[in-house]
Amino acid sequence: MTTALKSIKSLAPLLDRVLVQRIKAESKTASGIFLPESSVKELNEAKVLAVGPGGLDKEGKRVSPNVAAGDKVLIPQYGGSPVKVGDEEYHLFRDHELLAKINE
């Protein structure tokens, strides 16, 4: 899904969806050596940018999401709906697809 959005702030997730941006891996080692892009793996960590209001249970009650904007989460290697804004790529996941919340 490629969308011509001007700003990611104009995108509001619906129901139990969560908008995340993958955290880029360091291209420099602790000793200061720069690594080529081909050797840097994509991390499964992401920052939550926006969260929908939550899904509905069988009784029709709103179930609030487990994460909030600003949280760091562990996401699956594949999946989610990609959303591209300019050169940046973001992903929409359902709340239950997120693997873990990273508490720092």
Side-chain angles (χ1 to χ4, degrees):
M1 174 177 139
T2 304
T3 313
L5 293 173
K6 294 179 183 177
S7 169
I8 197 63
K9 293 182 180 182
S10 64
L11 188 66
L14 299 176
L15 297 174
D16 64 341
R17 289 179 178 78
V18 179
L19 178 67
V20 299
Q21 182 177 25
R22 247 182 228 278
I23 297 173
K24 294 181 176 34
E26 290 289 326
S27 61
K28 187 168 98 170
T29 64
S31 60
I33 299 171
F34 286 95
L35 301 171
E37 280 189 33
S38 60
S39 68
V40 177
K41 290 186 178 180
E42 209 172 54
L43 293 178
N44 286 359
E45 293 179 17
K47 182 178 178 184
V48 176
L49 301 176
V51 180
L56 301 174
D57 65 6
K58 292 180 182 179
E59 289 86 38
K61 295 179 184 172
R62 181 120 2 232
V63 178
S64 60
N66 296 316
V67 294
D71 288 346
K72 278 179 69 174
V73 293
L74 192 64
I75 57 174
Q77 182 79 24
Y78 303 102
S81 299
V83 178
K84 197 161 187 168
V85 178
D87 293 336
E88 297 291 326
E89 187 165 332
Y90 304 91
H91 294 273
L92 276 169
F93 286 95
R94 289 192 176 271
D95 184 45
H96 69 272
E97 292 175 333
L98 300 177
L99 303 176
K101 180 178 172 181
I102 301 172
N103 296 320
E104 294 182 304

